[in-house]
Amino acid sequence: MSRPVAKKAAAKGEYIETLQLLFPSITLVATLPSSAPLTSYKDSGNKVSRRSAITGTANITLGGRTVIMADVVLRGDLHSTRPTASSSGKEGTPTSISIGKCTVVSTGTVLKPPCRMSRGAPNFYPMKIGDNVFIGPNCVISAIAISSHVHIGANVTIHPFAVIKENVKVLPNTVVPSAMVIAPGSVVGGRPARIVGEVGEGWGVSGGGAGGGLGVGGGGEEKWVEGGDLRELVRSIR
Amino acid sequence: MAQTFPYTYYACDCYDSNNTSSTKRASQLLQEAEEDERTFDPRSPRANYSLYPLEHLLYCEDCQQIRCPRCIIEETLNWYCPSCLFEVPSSVVKSDGNRCTRSCFSCPLCTSPMQTFSLDMTGESAPPFILECQYCRWSTLEIGIEFEKGQGIAAQLARIGNGGKHIPTNKERDKERERRKEIEGRKSRDLLSPSTESTNTDADRADGPPSHDDLFSNLTAFYKSQVDAQTPSNPFSSHDINFSSPSAYSRIMNLYSTTGSKKNKRNKPSAMREVASSLEGLTIHDPANDAAAIERIKKEGWGVTLSPAQKHAQINPNVRFVDELRPLATLLCTKRSKRCRSCRQILTKPESKITSTRYKIKLLALNHIPRLSIRALNAMPPAAVASRTADAFDYNALKPGMPSHFLLHISNPLFDPIKVTLATPSTTPGRVQSRVTILCPQFDVGANTDIWDDALSSSLSPIKRGSITDQAPQIEAGKIWDRGRNWTSVAVEIVPGFTNAVSSDGRDELEEDEDVLEIPIFVRIEYETDAGADERGLGDSRGSKGEKERREEAFWTVVGVGRIKG
């Protein structure tokens, strides 16, 4: 169903991206006005595929150096209806999806804020995703919160109001039931998801030690690890 | 966990040492390995317990050895509920058990968490409340339980039995027992009736066999009274302590021991009596129950019975049918610190706060042991890391008999340059024998210095390619493939074995994962480090200030290359 990301040569112009930031420590948070074209992501270092389907851009916050790949659906239009009724005006634009720094959303994934019926009407709740989160291809995510350094495999379904804490690995093809809280440092898998193990102490620590990741330019060697700093990965996506 | 190819596992050397406390130095280990010419077999049943990915290994700086989960000691720092993330004091864990006492429950059918819902249709959260599983839609309505409040479900559930029956508390049970005993005692005095009649009256009043909890409390009370009767005046302990004291325990054991122990009998002439009625916790097996169960399965089918996993998860071990299920309170988790088993040094110590994921102490093997990784040589996607596209090398279909080249990449986390010696058996162990040649088994790997040193020292573009030569590297014996700041890669030639050759040796098909190509590689590293820099002052007898100390490290690794398909 979803096409694989085109190869590098063909991918020229695939992403609407920014220039390389000179000072990687500076982060810019971009909140898009609804009328603004997608190019206004530019200053924040985010890379958003032209082939992604994003609705309600005004309600989506990207933390910077975040990658949204092709065929990703971000349902920013599903925002909370109740607070806007009280606070009118452009200042109070409700947030429906906020994504942190260096987070990668792979191809074909759908991010849809969770919904709950209250007083007979559906009410959507904002979804929050932390930094350095990797979301694999073809996932359907409705979690209320995903903390930092989480690795989600391919074809994972996360039901509404699930909470995923830090340093969690979700194995491929997992179905996380609704309202499940996954404690920090667990490995979950299965349908429904259950805790199958713990990530090691070295989770997210890149191999090269303190000095800096694996060998620089290691000839195609992976310079990022699951749960670690995804900056190198983000840099490599073009 | 299913690992994707290629992968590298590291063997902790506790796999062949019987006493984990032995602190073998690397040189001794190497000597032994050379002496008996043994190679590590990743397929031996023992290897299952010693192979770990590098992230799971710790490193003891005092022993200078890798520490795997088998050669560490864990100490529980605190307990917490993984669902509501509240810390549970250890005293509560001791008294109430290792389950959450708030409102955290998981579904007895599918294990997913249960949520509290109001049955009130007006939209307000008003009683009655139920617990419902959003995954399989099982709810407490199916066992006839509703709650009056939305909070403190655990306390409410403890009082409601299936079908809305009231579960007596321990105190009520005690009172009830006393009352019945009195009635029974009066009756037996009046009628001098045999025990059969009294059990009948019991059954009449309790309508049905007593519950698991009832029996347990009856038994506890009975044994408590027995022990109290046996030791009427023990000046050292009160009644409660007496019950679980070693003397009481040995007395109970005496009951079950054979008549041979005459000595004890002489000392304690009055033996404890066994339970005699259901009030004292006696259960008489009733064949009618079994017959009823069989009848029920006949009528309603297997659907009403439980799977072994569901039955195992229940607290009451005698549960058979779905209408006997109880929601399961969430099991607590622990935060643990880890110590080296031989020298007791703390290897990891997390911060005690539940929400914190930081560590106070963390000694990882990742920071002391070079990381090995293998990949196919022809698949050269310099930046296609993220998108593992279809044209990449298929590690799940290695062609048998076709020599193919792989790159073994060794990166050094240490701050000193290391000398690496690799060794591998020429054919892999197991029934599918693949030939392996490391073209350059001895080489140096640079120190893990500051990332900018590399850039400043060389005029070449440092980030793109730190290679030593400008021309494309050649596959040549005795020469490394490429090198960078703190990494070196060498070429490995692999001729995958024939999977069909196995069937000719008499035995039939391959067993599971026998077609996986795993190469055991022995890694020995040698380096000189500043002896004074060793903050723990080990080995300081030899090295005075500024003097270098030679160190070596040796361990087995297993590199999973791929799956042979032929």
Side-chain angles (χ1 to χ4, degrees):
Chain A
M1 190 189 136
S2 71
R3 289 159 292 178
V5 175
K7 270 182 268 104
K8 293 307 134 206
K12 199 152 192 240
E14 157 86 41
Y15 290 100
I16 302 163
E17 59 180 295
T18 71
L19 301 165
Q20 198 75 33
L21 286 179
L22 285 174
F23 303 101
S25 59
I26 297 176
T27 331
L28 301 165
V29 176
T31 311
L32 296 177
S34 55
S35 57
L38 278 173
T39 42
S40 68
Y41 282 111
K42 269 206 165 179
D43 292 340
S44 56
N46 298 307
K47 297 176 182 180
V48 181
S49 170
R50 290 180 201 280
R51 288 189 282 144
S52 59
I54 302 178
T55 49
T57 45
N59 308 320
I60 298 174
T61 312
L62 300 181
R65 270 180 259 124
T66 288
V67 179
I68 310 288
M69 289 194 185
D71 299 320
V72 169
V73 179
L74 295 184
R75 292 298 302 272
D77 54 330
L78 303 178
H79 56 81
S80 172
T81 45
R82 270 190 293 191
T84 36
S86 57
S87 70
S88 56
K90 292 213 166 161
E91 286 292 297
T93 21
T95 311
S96 56
I97 300 174
S98 74
I99 301 178
K101 280 178 283 179
C102 295
T103 286
V104 176
V105 185
S106 308
T107 50
T109 288
V110 178
L111 297 189
K112 185 179 172 242
C115 169
R116 180 180 281 160
M117 295 296 285
S118 82
R119 294 197 174 82
N123 189 34
F124 289 92
Y125 289 78
M127 170 194 280
K128 199 169 183 309
I129 296 177
D131 306 336
N132 294 301
V133 175
F134 181 90
I135 301 177
N138 304 322
C139 296
V140 180
I141 311 279
S142 277
I144 188 82
I146 297 176
S147 298
S148 300
H149 297 286
V150 170
H151 187 93
I152 298 174
N155 310 321
V156 168
T157 303
I158 300 181
H159 284 173
F161 297 104
V163 177
I164 301 181
K165 304 301 279 186
E166 292 88 356
N167 305 331
V168 167
K169 178 171 181 172
V170 183
L171 298 178
N173 308 317
T174 300
V175 176
V176 178
S178 73
M180 182 176 188
V181 180
I182 302 176
S186 355
V187 179
V188 295
R191 303 176 179 178
R194 49 196 87 177
I195 293 170
V196 294
E198 287 180 346
V199 299
E201 274 83 1
W203 171 257
V205 179
S206 59
L214 284 175
V216 178
E221 190 60 37
E222 289 188 17
K223 275 164 282 171
W224 59 283
V225 288
E226 290 177 3
D229 203 335
L230 297 184
R231 199 184 300 166
E232 289 294 334
L233 171 65
V234 171
R235 197 176 288 164
S236 70
I237 296 170
R238 251 161 251 150
Chain B
M1 271 175 273
Q3 269 279 0
T4 48
F5 295 112
Y7 56 79
T8 311
Y9 286 143
Y10 291 70
C12 178
D13 61 8
C14 65
Y15 78 97
D16 62 352
S17 60
N18 288 331
N19 53 336
T20 48
S21 57
S22 73
T23 47
K24 272 190 266 178
R25 283 301 157 111
S27 55
Q28 292 172 329
L29 196 81
L30 184 75
Q31 227 169 24
E32 277 177 28
E34 274 171 356
E35 270 168 18
D36 50 11
E37 285 286 315
R38 252 184 323 158
T39 55
F40 186 79
D41 182 7
R43 283 175 213 285
S44 78
R46 276 198 150 207
N48 274 337
Y49 303 102
S50 62
L51 288 177
Y52 295 93
L54 190 53
E55 304 90 78
H56 286 252
L57 292 173
L58 304 172
Y59 186 86
C60 179
E61 286 181 346
D62 284 1
C63 308
Q64 293 180 17
Q65 265 183 332
I66 302 174
R67 287 285 170 246
C68 73
R70 282 206 310 167
C71 41
I72 53 167
I73 302 172
E74 293 189 334
E75 286 170 5
T76 303
L77 285 181
N78 49 26
W79 300 72
Y80 67 98
C81 168
S83 191
C84 55
L85 298 171
F86 269 98
E87 186 179 341
V88 181
S90 57
S91 57
V92 175
V93 174
K94 262 178 202 146
S95 61
D96 293 357
N98 58 342
R99 288 182 186 267
C100 183
T101 51
R102 288 186 177 78
S103 301
C104 306
F105 285 92
S106 53
C107 173
L109 288 185
C110 72
T111 71
S112 43
M114 304 191 77
Q115 285 170 272
T116 318
F117 287 97
S118 169
L119 283 180
D120 197 80
M121 293 312 286
T122 55
E124 302 293 323
S125 57
F129 294 92
I130 55 161
L131 281 176
E132 191 183 10
C133 165
Q134 290 288 289
Y135 189 82
C136 70
R137 297 285 163 181
W138 186 88
S139 76
T140 51
L141 279 180
E142 295 187 29
I143 51 170
I145 292 179
E146 288 174 7
F147 303 102
E148 282 158 12
K149 281 179 290 175
Q151 282 91 37
I153 299 289
Q156 293 181 64
L157 188 69
R159 279 183 267 116
I160 313 172
N162 284 7
K165 274 180 291 181
H166 174 76
I167 295 182
T169 59
N170 273 343
K171 254 185 200 158
E172 287 170 334
R173 277 207 191 95
D174 290 346
K175 251 185 217 161
E176 173 71 9
R177 197 182 310 113
E178 289 307 309
R179 191 181 62 83
R180 282 201 203 168
K181 261 192 191 152
E182 230 164 68
I183 295 171
E184 206 173 297
R186 222 182 294 139
K187 252 187 203 159
S188 57
R189 247 180 282 126
D190 288 352
L191 302 169
L192 293 168
S193 64
S195 57
T196 46
E197 211 164 299
S198 70
T199 46
N200 279 348
T201 49
D202 269 344
D204 287 346
R205 220 175 293 123
D207 57 336
S211 74
H212 190 250
D213 290 338
D214 284 338
L215 280 180
F216 181 77
S217 78
N218 285 354
L219 265 178
T220 329
F222 172 73
Y223 281 121
K224 207 179 237 175
S225 69
Q226 286 288 299
V227 170
D228 287 350
Q230 291 291 310
T231 46
S233 57
N234 194 340
F236 299 113
S237 59
S238 71
H239 292 281
D240 283 337
I241 299 164
N242 206 359
F243 176 57
S244 56
S245 70
S247 70
Y249 181 70
S250 68
R251 199 162 306 176
I252 291 175
M253 288 310 286
N254 272 345
L255 278 177
Y256 296 104
S257 63
T258 49
T259 48
S261 58
K262 286 239 169 83
K263 261 181 277 169
N264 289 347
K265 266 201 177 153
R266 233 180 292 129
N267 290 345
K268 286 143 192 170
S270 60
M272 273 167 77
R273 138 184 110 77
E274 266 297 357
V275 287
S277 73
S278 70
L279 271 188
E280 292 166 348
L282 178 71
T283 36
I284 297 164
H285 179 70
D286 191 1
N289 283 343
D290 287 349
I294 292 167
E295 262 324 294
R296 190 165 170 202
I297 295 171
K298 259 192 210 163
K299 231 191 291 166
E300 299 172 54
W302 292 116
V304 293
T305 59
L306 300 176
S307 73
Q310 290 163 350
K311 201 173 160 179
H312 183 70
Q314 288 290 313
I315 295 171
N316 182 352
N318 302 325
V319 166
R320 274 187 188 148
F321 295 105
V322 281
D323 59 350
E324 293 168 278
L325 287 172
R326 304 276 290 174
L328 298 165
T330 307
L331 283 167
L332 301 180
C333 286
T334 52
K335 268 200 162 186
R336 302 175 301 275
S337 66
K338 294 173 180 175
R339 281 175 191 274
C340 173
R341 203 179 270 273
S342 54
C343 70
R344 305 282 157 147
Q345 197 205 339
I346 297 180
L347 301 179
T348 63
K349 193 181 173 80
E351 281 184 1
S352 59
K353 233 171 79 185
I354 299 299
T355 47
S356 169
T357 51
R358 281 198 295 259
Y359 281 83
K360 283 180 190 155
I361 302 169
K362 188 152 85 166
L363 301 174
L364 296 176
L366 268 172
N367 298 331
H368 294 87
I369 298 296
R371 179 190 274 268
L372 273 80
S373 50
I374 204 166
R375 65 182 175 82
L377 187 54
N378 49 355
M380 221 11 190
V385 194
S387 54
R388 291 198 180 81
T389 42
D391 62 324
F393 186 82
D394 190 4
Y395 290 98
N396 276 311
L398 304 178
K399 292 184 190 73
M402 291 276 284
S404 46
H405 289 99
F406 290 82
L407 270 191
L408 196 61
H409 181 104
I410 292 100
S411 62
N412 177 18
L414 299 164
F415 298 110
D416 305 288
I418 55 170
K419 244 185 207 140
V420 179
T421 312
L422 301 179
T424 180
S426 54
T427 54
T428 56
R431 285 162 67 200
V432 180
Q433 295 195 330
S434 309
R435 275 192 290 129
V436 182
T437 319
I438 298 175
L439 292 181
C440 179
Q442 263 187 319
F443 51 88
D444 293 343
V445 183
N448 183 23
T449 47
D450 196 321
I451 197 160
W452 295 111
D453 285 2
D454 202 29
L456 295 172
S457 60
S458 78
S459 54
L460 291 167
S461 160
I463 303 292
K464 281 271 103 184
R465 214 172 205 344
S467 92
I468 36 168
T469 49
D470 282 338
Q471 68 260 43
Q474 302 281 315
I475 299 169
E476 208 176 311
K479 282 205 177 150
I480 59 165
W481 171 264
D482 203 354
R483 153 183 299 173
R485 181 176 57 91
N486 68 336
W487 56 269
T488 302
S489 50
V490 291
V492 181
E493 192 177 82
I494 297 172
V495 186
F498 289 94
T499 47
N500 47 6
V502 173
S503 47
S504 62
D505 72 344
R507 286 187 284 178
D508 36 325
E509 283 121 65
L510 289 175
E511 279 161 46
E512 194 192 359
D513 281 352
E514 270 203 306
D515 52 349
V516 172
L517 174 54
E518 281 186 327
I519 312 169
I521 298 178
F522 187 73
V523 184
R524 179 166 170 267
I525 61 168
E526 235 180 277
Y527 60 98
E528 285 190 334
T529 186
D530 220 351
D534 194 356
E535 59 275 301
R536 301 201 199 262
L538 264 182
D540 46 359
S541 54
R542 280 171 292 157
S544 64
K545 232 194 179 146
E547 209 170 298
K548 293 276 186 180
E549 188 197 38
R550 277 180 71 81
R551 280 195 193 159
E552 48 185 285
E553 202 95 42
F555 51 89
W556 278 99
T557 60
V558 172
V559 175
V561 180
R563 201 176 280 274
I564 304 168
K565 213 175 213 171

